Amino acid sequence: TRLNQAQWQSYKQSLASGVAKSIGVSNFCPSCLVGFSPLPSVNQIQWHVGMGSPKLMSFCEKNGIVVQAYSPLAHGQVVTDPLCASVGNSYNRTAAEVGLRYVVQHKNTAVVVKASNPMYLKQDLNVLDWTLSNTDMDRLNAATEPKGQQDGRPSWGCTV
């Protein structure tokens, strides 16, 4: 859109003048990014088990854009998801830990978490010292639930 183009020109000026070192965006799908140069360093999207979004993820990976996942637990839906719970049982982990590990284990990803309970924050850090098997990653990649707040779309503005 024209508004995105104008905004992008402002970002480029910030880079050129040294005010910014990189560009990050939120909720951009491939169609929103085509034609922009340089591409952003980070794209923050809703991403969790059940959405996968192979099109957007492969676009970002191919172009060196880090995907920063917000709402990695689908507003709590991953915590009670039967598939995540089942996978977690074999690792002695919670469904939430499986959901976070799923996001972290993908190439070129980062995750944003929030928790009001210190126990949950500790559990969040526990996702860094173990790995999901390829078989379990395939099962989680194939999941179509939970949908999350945007009906399974990684970007509120796009239909990818």
Side-chain angles (χ1 to χ4, degrees):
T1 68
R2 243 178 19 185
L3 183 57
N4 281 351
Q5 291 288 344
Q7 187 177 15
W8 205 258
Q9 290 306 314
S10 177
Y11 292 157
K12 285 173 62 171
Q13 289 171 357
S14 294
L15 281 173
S17 69
V19 171
K21 293 185 180 188
S22 61
I23 299 171
V25 295
S26 181
N27 296 305
F28 276 53
C29 65
S31 65
C32 295
L33 293 167
V34 171
F36 288 113
S37 178
L39 286 171
S41 300
V42 176
N43 187 11
Q44 186 182 61
I45 60 172
Q46 180 184 178
W47 188 55
H48 50 74
V49 170
M51 347 185 27
S53 187
K55 214 176 185 183
L56 178 55
M57 297 303 289
S58 62
F59 177 89
C60 288
E61 184 178 340
K62 181 177 125 187
N63 289 287
I65 301 169
V66 173
V67 170
Q68 184 179 46
Y70 68 80
S71 298
L73 299 179
H75 296 278
Q77 294 176 44
V78 169
V79 175
T80 58
D81 180 69
L83 174 60
C84 290
S86 171
V87 169
N89 285 338
S90 62
Y91 297 91
N92 197 28
R93 302 289 178 155
T94 66
E97 288 173 307
V98 169
L100 292 176
R101 181 65 215 178
Y102 168 80
V103 171
V104 187
Q105 196 162 315
H106 278 84
K107 291 181 184 174
N108 227 29
T109 59
V111 65
V112 176
V113 296
K114 75 174 191 176
S116 57
N117 184 323
M119 180 182 76
Y120 295 152
L121 290 172
K122 185 177 179 185
Q123 282 180 341
D124 292 348
L125 290 174
N126 287 338
V127 304
L128 302 175
D129 63 355
W130 60 286
T131 305
L132 290 162
S133 71
N134 290 337
T135 301
D136 287 331
M137 285 296 287
D138 289 344
R139 288 174 61 204
L140 295 166
N141 280 329
T144 57
E145 296 287 334
K147 296 276 188 214
Q149 78 181 60
Q150 295 162 184
D151 277 344
R153 293 178 298 133
S155 165
W156 53 265
C158 298
T159 58
V160 174

